[in-house]
Amino acid sequence: MSGVRVILDQDKCVGSGQCVMTAPEVFDQRDEDGIAVLLTTAPDTGQTDVVREAAALCPALAITVRE
């Protein structure tokens, strides 16, 4: 069960990998260009804090976390 929903705007993503390093259970990167991909849009409630941290660290502001 999830308390948040994650939205990733891949068009904004610059491939810095901050999200992947912060929340690898939720984010991955494409091998060909480094653009982030979501592994789940509804992470477990135990991952809420790291998902919010990943969104805050994203230099492109490509990650939105909604209640």
Side-chain angles (χ1 to χ4, degrees), residues 13-35:
C13 181
V14 296
S16 72
Q18 296 298 315
C19 59
V20 178
M21 290 187 289
T22 305
E25 304 84 11
V26 179
F27 300 95
D28 200 355
Q29 284 181 289
R30 296 190 303 221
D31 291 336
E32 62 271 10
D33 58 8
I35 298 299

Side-chain angles (χ1 to χ4, degrees), residues 28-50:
D28 200 355
Q29 284 181 289
R30 296 190 303 221
D31 291 336
E32 62 271 10
D33 58 8
I35 298 299
V37 294
L38 279 173
L39 299 176
T40 180
T41 60
D44 294 334
T45 55
Q47 297 173 327
T48 300
D49 289 343
V50 294

Side-chain angles (χ1 to χ4, degrees), residues 2-7 41 45 48-49 51-52 64-67:
S2 174
V4 297
R5 177 170 163 76
V6 182
I7 301 165
T41 60
T45 55
T48 300
D49 289 343
V51 169
R52 289 189 191 284
T64 303
V65 180
R66 294 199 175 143
E67 294 297 324

